[in-house]
Amino acid sequence: MAEKKDVTNERLDALEKIMAEQEETIESLKAENAKLSEQVGATATPKKKAKPKPPEKTFTVSGDKYRFQVVQFRYQGAIVKAVDALDDKELLKTLVDNNSAVITQVK
Amino acid sequence: MDYTQLEAYQAYVEQFAEELITKLYYGFPSADTVRVHEGVKGKKVLTEVIVGDNIVKRWRKEFDGTADVDFVPRVLDVNPLKVETSITPQEIESNYLGFIRQTGQSPEDYPIQAFILDKVIQKAHEEIEQAVWGGEAGAVAALDNAIAVFDGFLHLIDDAITATDVTPTVTGANTPANIVGNVESVFDSLGDAEKVSPTIAFVAPQNFINYNRNYRNDYGKYTNPQNMREKLDFADCTLVGLPGMTGSDKIIITSQENLHVGIDTPSDHNAFRMQQNHRTIDFWMDFKLGVQIAQLRDGIIAVNDQ
C-alpha cells in the first residue's frame, strides 16, 4: 500500500513539474504575442483622418439662402477656407453670380 | 440566306476573337486617354510614392532618412459585369443590306455577323464610357446598369474634394464666353512639375466645342480640333472631349498616366457566347471592369468647382 502511495506521489510530482513547465511556456508565448501585437500596431496603416466637413452656417445673397458644399476652394490662385469666405460678402456674391458649385442654395 | 444560323456567328467570333476583344475593351472613347490594365483579377494596387522635402542634405556620417518617402496605396478594384442582348437577324436584314449597298462593301468582307456584333460592341462602348466617368456605386440600389456598379472618375474626384485632398478652382458654369479662361485657371492650379509635363484636359464634348467657339471669338483664330482633341496653345496640354463626361461641367487636368482602367476577361473563346432561341440569337459576355486615379491630390490633378 505504502509502495503504491510512493509511486502515485512520484507521478503527481512529475505531473506538477510538467504543469509548471507548461505554465512557463504559456507565459512566454503570451509575452511574445504582446510584443508582436505591438509591432503590428506600429506597422499597420494609420487610421484615416476624420473627414473635414463644410461649415453648416448659411449665408444670404439677394434674399436667397446658401451654404458651402466644400471645405476649401481655389479662388484667383489662392486657397480659401469656406469658413473664412463666410465673412467676405463680395466673394459670396461672386460665387452666387458665377453659379459656382462650391455653394448650394438652401430651400 | 438564313441569317439565324448560330454556327455562322460562332465561326465568326472564333475567327475574329482577338480583334473583337481588342475592339470591345480598347475601343471606348476614353481608352485612348487613360492607362488600361488588362488581366486585373480582383485588385491591383497602384502605389503612389510621395518623396518628402529636403532629401538632399549637407553630408554627415549619421543616417537621417526615415519618413522621407511615403507610400500611399490606391486600389484599382474590378467589378463583375455582363453584356446580354437578344437579336433577331431577320429584323436587321434590310438595315444590313442598305448599309452594304450604301458603302459599296462586299457581304463577304463584311458579313451580317460582323454588322450585328459591331452594333452590340458600339452600345457596350457607350455604356462602359458612361460608367468609367459617371459611375457611382450603389447610387440607385435597384439599378443594375454598369453606372451603378462602381465609382467612376468624377465620383472619385468629388470624394477627394470632400476629403480636401483636391481643392477645386472656382470658375462657375462654363459658357462659350468664358471657357478658355476657365481651362487656363484650372491649368494654373497644377503643380509646377505637372505644368512642364504632358497633360490632358478632360471636358464634356459640348465644352470642347464651346472652347473652340470661345477661342475663335476672342482671338479671331480657328483652332484645329481632330477627333475631339486639340493641343492647347499655352502648354504641353491636350484638350479632349469625352462623351463619358456629358452632363458634367468639370474641367479635369492631369497626366494621362494618372487615370487607370482595369479590365479582366475570361479566356478569349469564352468572351463572346451565344445560343439560338428560335428566331433570335442570345448574345452574352462576362467581364470585370473598374477605375482608379493613382494620385489624387492637389498639384497632380486640377479640377474646377462644377
Side-chain angles (χ1 to χ4, degrees):
Chain A
M1 189 76 177
E3 210 172 278
K4 214 174 181 183
K5 193 181 170 189
D6 287 344
V7 172
T8 311
N9 279 340
E10 261 176 40
R11 279 186 184 167
L12 194 64
D13 288 345
L15 280 171
E16 275 174 353
K17 201 179 167 191
I18 290 169
M19 277 172 70
E21 277 171 8
Q22 283 182 339
E23 287 278 329
E24 257 176 48
T25 312
I26 289 169
E27 287 306 315
S28 71
L29 284 173
K30 271 185 184 172
E32 197 177 336
N33 194 25
K35 199 176 162 189
L36 287 171
S37 296
E38 260 177 43
Q39 284 173 358
V40 168
T43 53
T45 315
K47 277 184 186 173
K48 274 189 178 177
K49 59 179 179 184
K51 272 189 179 179
K53 285 182 180 170
E56 285 178 11
K57 192 178 168 189
T58 57
F59 59 93
T60 307
V61 174
S62 308
D64 293 320
K65 207 190 258 187
Y66 300 88
R67 68 175 170 77
F68 276 98
Q69 295 205 100
V70 297
V71 175
Q72 61 186 35
F73 55 91
R74 208 177 283 269
Y75 181 69
Q76 293 182 339
I79 291 179
V80 181
K81 298 267 182 212
V83 278
D84 300 334
L86 285 166
D87 300 328
D88 189 339
K89 285 189 178 163
E90 203 177 316
L91 173 56
L92 295 176
K93 190 176 179 310
T94 308
L95 295 177
V96 172
D97 290 346
N98 285 347
N99 292 320
S100 174
V102 299
I103 55 167
T104 184
Q105 194 168 356
V106 183
K107 290 184 180 169
Chain B
M1 196 186 294
D2 182 8
Y3 292 137
T4 59
Q5 270 192 350
L6 183 68
E7 292 76 14
Y9 293 89
Q10 282 170 334
Y12 179 79
V13 167
E14 278 167 19
Q15 190 180 348
F16 295 102
E18 201 176 323
E19 285 89 339
L20 288 170
I21 287 167
T22 305
K23 200 186 269 187
L24 177 66
Y25 300 118
Y26 293 89
F28 62 98
S30 291
D32 281 347
T33 52
V34 300
R35 180 61 57 90
V36 180
H37 301 259
E38 204 176 314
V40 182
K41 297 292 173 198
K43 291 175 192 291
K44 184 181 176 99
V45 179
L46 310 165
T47 303
E48 179 185 3
V49 182
I50 302 171
V51 182
D53 292 333
N54 304 322
I55 59 164
V56 183
K57 302 167 191 167
R58 187 195 306 277
W59 189 92
R60 59 176 179 267
K61 66 181 180 184
E62 292 82 14
F63 182 78
D64 185 21
T66 50
D68 276 342
V69 180
D70 198 5
F71 295 92
V72 181
R74 291 190 63 84
V75 179
L76 172 59
D77 213 343
V78 291
N79 307 269
L81 293 168
K82 62 177 182 175
V83 173
E84 282 176 349
T85 185
S86 288
I87 286 166
T88 310
Q90 276 96 341
E91 286 179 351
I92 298 164
E93 186 184 349
S94 59
N95 196 344
Y96 166 68
L97 290 174
F99 174 82
I100 287 290
R101 289 196 180 114
Q102 190 183 31
T103 56
Q105 274 190 301
S106 156
E108 283 165 13
D109 293 341
Y110 194 67
I112 191 169
Q113 293 81 6
F115 182 74
I116 289 173
L117 282 173
D118 274 357
K119 294 274 178 210
V120 173
I121 288 172
Q122 270 174 27
K123 186 65 188 150
H125 282 166
E126 269 177 43
E127 295 180 11
I128 288 173
E129 175 75 11
Q130 283 170 4
V132 160
W133 286 94
E136 189 175 349
V140 183
L143 199 62
D144 266 347
N145 299 350
I147 203 156
V149 175
F150 59 88
D151 288 340
F153 292 130
L154 294 174
H155 193 69
L156 292 172
I157 289 169
D158 282 344
D159 281 351
I161 290 172
T162 307
T164 66
D165 292 330
V166 173
T167 309
T169 296
V170 171
T171 59
N174 296 315
T175 70
N178 70 10
I179 189 165
V180 170
N182 288 352
V183 169
E184 291 182 4
S185 296
V186 175
F187 183 87
D188 288 346
S189 67
L190 278 177
D192 282 349
E194 292 300 303
K195 279 179 186 158
V196 297
S197 308
T199 49
I200 294 187
F202 300 91
V203 292
Q206 188 58 52
N207 280 329
F208 181 89
I209 292 162
N210 286 344
Y211 181 92
N212 292 302
R213 286 178 179 154
N214 191 188
Y215 196 89
R216 182 188 61 198
N217 293 341
D218 283 6
Y219 306 106
K221 288 179 183 170
Y222 290 98
T223 51
N224 187 25
Q226 286 180 336
N227 298 323
M228 279 279 157
R229 278 173 164 259
E230 76 172 293
K231 204 92 177 146
L232 299 182
D233 63 357
F234 57 86
D236 191 0
C237 182
T238 307
L239 184 73
V240 179
L242 289 171
M245 289 183 72
T246 299
S248 168
D249 230 6
K250 266 207 168 54
I251 299 165
I252 301 163
I253 306 181
T254 190
S255 69
Q256 180 170 347
E257 290 74 26
N258 201 18
L259 305 188
H260 298 257
V261 172
I263 290 170
D264 185 39
T265 61
S267 56
D268 289 2
H269 61 280
N270 282 333
F272 291 83
R273 308 190 83 175
M274 55 196 76
Q275 187 174 316
Q276 188 141 10
N277 186 9
H278 298 292
R279 289 180 186 82
T280 64
I281 292 177
D282 294 340
F283 285 95
W284 72 95
M285 55 185 124
D286 297 341
F287 61 101
K288 290 179 178 176
L289 185 75
V291 307
Q292 186 53 278
I293 300 175
Q295 299 186 64
L296 202 41
R297 60 191 164 86
D298 276 336
I300 305 290
I301 187 165
V303 299
N304 64 338
D305 62 338
Q306 295 299 298

